[in-house]
Amino acid sequence: MNKLKNSASEALEGILFDGMTIMAGGFGLCGIPEYLITALRDSGVKDISVISNNCGIDDFGLGILLHTRQIKKMVSSYVGGNKTFEQQYMKGELELEFNPQGTLAERCRAGGAGIAGFYTKTGVGTVIAEGKEHKEFNGETYILETGLVADLSLVKAWKADDEGNLVYRKTARNFNPVMATAGKTTIAEVEEYVSLGDFDPDHIHTPGIYVNGFIVGTDHKKPIEIMTTREYVA
Amino acid sequence: MPWSREEIAQRAAEELQDGFYVNLGIGIPTLVANYIPDNVQVILESENGMLGMGPFPYPDQVDPDLINAGKQTISELDQTSYFSSADSFAMIRGGHINLAILGAMQVAQNGDLANWMIPGKMIKGMGGAMDLVAGVNKVVVIMDHTAKDGSPKFLKSCDLPLTGSSVTDLLITNLAVFQFEEDKPTLIELAPGVDLDEIREKTQAEFVVSPDLKSN
């Protein structure tokens, strides 16, 4: 079976429904599935709960789903730098669940690995710990966090082969591999399509078992949020 | 003269030891990378999934797939490795990072740290800060000694939501350095031209003065 789909809308056909939970990979605007997010917007699916480290910026990434008011709830670790988000949240139009970044990553990893919950020291003594089970191990206090699964995971990789094996590039990897494992359905978006056998099997980051389909985007915009450079010294 | 931003970063860099794996937070902590002593080699971790973070790239080497946790474009080094967010926080939570340097809004005398939220005013999120303070071996906190209105930020207890409880190991302000080892923090160093009276006046937290107090 070739998992390559012709377009983002074809890849999402029959999968979307109102009120669903969607994981989206990326850190800031780095390694986000930009074509799949646009297809989500165009589908009109609404009341979605989105699990993603951030919520894009005002006019790119997941931020575009705020303008169309398709997002009901965000589960994120950091949402700074997005005015639309702030406005909708302050008006009570948007639910927000903050998770510490490592806890969020581990909840996805656990969910994908069939682990119902895990104990972590992160957040002990803070608002994050409120209402959660506390337990002592070796004299230290930990809190119980639960695994996360999503109806759909949208991830961004660098390359895919027909089997849906994925390879990521540099820090665009971030949440993508763990989210790929935690979707009941996972759709990937890549920059390059390679033939079976082109990947060294030792170098595959996400085995194709986690990937139901993928699309090849052309001319990814990949905007840079904060451009920082140094000068050549003569 | 209180320490400038650069001088605070320089003072924090004295905490780096050869071979340390280090996570630097956003703001002044990022500047610490400019003051790594010549005889010390450290490996910088960026919690979005990178070990061996290099300097900012040359203009023609900017890569949108290569950013740090502050979303700034950066470069890689020969020893660089990349990994997922789950692996990144496994090394943070698992105690494999030797030192983290973070900014703060408030610190309490028991080492409580608040740096992620002002209720009703600022909704940004904690990012990786809660994981870092819970998992990293030594946590160095950097902040101005007082708020813009002059009110103290080193307090008996924080009134802002906490990032972590009793997590601060060393506090470096523009006026002084405090160590957290015993029941109460110990004042160990003063910025140039700063005396004990000024610290007492601008500090709400209870502290003891080290017999070896260093004046600069």
Side-chain angles (χ1 to χ4, degrees), chain B residues 19-150:
Chain B
F20 263 18
Y21 290 88
V22 178
N23 183 292
L24 300 177
I26 296 163
I28 299 178
T30 306
L31 300 176
V32 175
N34 300 334
Y35 300 102
I36 299 169
D38 286 341
N39 55 344
V40 169
Q41 282 198 333
V42 298
I43 294 189
L44 299 178
E45 202 252 4
S46 188
E47 67 264 25
N48 54 321
M50 178 184 198
L51 266 172
M53 183 167 61
F56 293 148
Y58 293 114
D60 57 351
Q61 289 171 357
V62 167
D63 184 338
D65 288 337
L66 182 44
I67 63 169
N68 64 18
K71 301 172 189 173
Q72 299 170 311
T73 49
I74 46 159
S75 65
E76 66 186 21
L77 305 170
D78 288 343
Q79 72 266 36
T80 295
S81 57
Y82 299 109
F83 35 84
S84 74
S85 300
D87 289 330
S88 175
F89 284 95
M91 56 184 81
I92 289 168
R93 209 189 294 105
H96 305 280
I97 306 287
N98 302 100
L99 181 76
I101 304 180
L102 307 95
M105 298 188 232
Q106 294 178 341
V107 173
Q109 63 193 36
N110 69 345
D112 285 1
L113 165 70
N115 75 354
W116 74 281
M117 190 190 192
I118 304 172
K121 270 194 184 166
M122 187 190 85
I123 53 142
K124 289 180 189 288
M126 71 290 284
M130 284 190 182
D131 309 278
L132 282 161
V133 299
V136 172
N137 297 338
K138 180 171 179 176
V139 174
V140 174
V141 175
I142 288 175
M143 69 174 184
D144 283 332
H145 204 89
T146 54
K148 286 202 178 92
D149 66 1

Side-chain angles (χ1 to χ4, degrees), chain A residues 101-122:
Chain A
Q101 197 173 125
T103 295
L104 180 62
E106 189 64 12
R107 291 185 74 192
C108 298
R109 198 200 67 78
I115 306 288
F118 58 92
Y119 291 95
T120 176
K121 274 192 284 186
T122 302

Side-chain angles (χ1 to χ4, degrees), chain A residues 53-122:
Chain A
N53 189 52
N54 317 95
C55 193
I57 57 173
D58 281 295
D59 56 0
F60 203 79
L62 292 168
I64 66 171
L65 302 177
L66 292 173
H67 289 288
T68 50
R69 308 204 172 242
Q70 287 167 277
I71 298 179
K72 187 181 75 175
K73 179 184 177 183
M74 284 298 306
V75 179
S76 301
S77 84
Y78 189 85
V79 295
N82 187 328
K83 281 268 170 279
T84 314
F85 188 99
E86 201 166 316
Q87 284 161 7
Q88 290 189 11
Y89 176 74
M90 290 296 186
K91 282 189 209 159
E93 298 166 348
L94 192 61
E95 290 172 52
L96 171 62
E97 179 188 320
F98 274 133
N99 280 197
Q101 197 173 125
T103 295
L104 180 62
E106 189 64 12
R107 291 185 74 192
C108 298
R109 198 200 67 78
I115 306 288
F118 58 92
Y119 291 95
T120 176
K121 274 192 284 186
T122 302

